[in-house]
Every structure is written in structure tokens, then in C-alpha cells.
Amino acid sequence: VLSGCGVYDGTEIHEASAILVHLSRGGAEVQMYAPDVPQMHVIDHSKGQPAEAESRNVLVESARIARGKIASLAKLTTADHDAVIFPGGFGAAKNLSTFAVDGKDCKVNREVERVLRDFHKAGKPIGLCCISPVLAAKVLSGAEVTVGHEEEEGGKWPYAGTAGAIKELGGKHCVKEVTISLPAHVDTKNKVVTTPAFMCETALHHIFDGIGAMVKNVLKLTGK
């Protein structure tokens, strides 16, 4: 499930690509979806500032990553899929929810909430990385997730405050690394698998490997 195209106002592209590579390597068939809604705002990534005069659609922008092969999130059903995965990027906190603005009081997009609840009820695994675990924390009360560490540690974990927000949302936060073994957390009860990804300032290949651990565990939980 994508949330646009670009780290500051949509899907983190490297995370989406890593997920797709690991799913391909795992032999999975993939269908991409995104909500057909306007973005919260548009960021000029060359300046890191909002482009005030622009407006973009989440589904249309997500189609860039999907190479055009994408459908509206309203069409996603548990009957057609064994698992669902959410990459990170600020789009998860801006377009799939209002977490970026409202924190613990955020609202989750209606279709995103439906998908999370439906897959959870069906006992089918849910994978999330980077900032997107806040979605599970908000919708699935008591779910165990990770966004990495709970302290910034000199800038290595610049978004460490998210861990506290997850607890306020009703989730349980588990500290995890990016660069050593077991970089993904598996909540076996809820079948929720999470990994920190770009919540950590580290080398890209470590993030790629951590995402691989998340994808591997999601596929394992499908039992196929």
C-alpha cells in the first residue's frame, strides 16, 4: 500500500523498491494499491519546503513507483491477498493518516483502517516499516511494533520520539536495531511485522537488509 511518491510527502521510494525486490526474491505475486485522495501537501524535495501552489493525488503519484500497475485502495480485499505491506515515508503520516499533524490524536484514512482491521480479523500478516507502524499502533490496540530506538543517540535515531507516540496510541514499542541480526520485530499474536528502516541514519544496505527481514517474516507467516 503506497502513500504517494517521495519521502517528505509520500512513500519512501527506496523502501518501496526494497520491499518489491525482497517480495520478488521470495516468489510472491504483488499488487499495489493507494488511496484515491489528495495529498496533504506537496514538498519540493530539492528545497525541503512545501510547494504552495501545487496539489497532487496520492494514487496518481503512487503510480510512478508502481510503473502504472496500481489500483485504488478501495478495491483491496483480504480474499484476494495473503498479506499486506506498508512502506514508510512521511506519506504514511500525512496521507494515510494525520499523525504528522495530530500525533497521538491522529485519524487514519478510512480505507487504510478498513484494510488493517480486515487483515487482522482474517489472521493474515501485516508488514510495516519506518514510520508506518504508527498505523498499526493506532488501529490495532495493543499491537507490538518497532520504529527502532527510543532515544536519539546523537542523531542516529532522529525520529526516536515516535516510540513514545506509539505508546500513547495504545501500541507496545519494542527496541530494535537496523544493522545486526533480527532487525525486524514479529508480533506473533497479531501477525504484525515491523522494522525501523530509515528511522535510523545508517548505510542503505543495512536498511535494505532490515526490510528483507520484515518481508521474509511476513511471507513466513502466510504459511505458503
Side-chain angles (χ1 to χ4, degrees), residues 12-13 29 37-38 40 47 51 53 71 79 123 127 131-132 161 172 192 215:
E12 211 302 318
I13 298 169
E29 293 182 23
V37 296
M40 175 184 139
K47 298 177 181 177
I131 191 69
S132 66
K172 297 179 180 179
V192 173
V215 170

Side-chain angles (χ1 to χ4, degrees), residues 156-171:
K156 183 179 179 181
W157 296 91
Y159 309 108
T162 306
I166 281 172
K167 296 174 185 177
E168 292 181 313
L169 287 168

Side-chain angles (χ1 to χ4, degrees), residues 86-99:
F86 292 80
F90 280 94
K94 293 178 176 180
N95 304 327
L96 303 188
S97 72
T98 63
F99 180 77

Side-chain angles (χ1 to χ4, degrees), residues 2 17 19 28 34 46-47 60 84-85 121 133 146 154 156 192 204:
L2 303 178
S17 295
I19 289 168
S46 69
K47 298 177 181 177
V60 172
V84 64
I85 296 179
K121 184 177 180 180
T146 188
K156 183 179 179 181
V192 173
L204 181 59

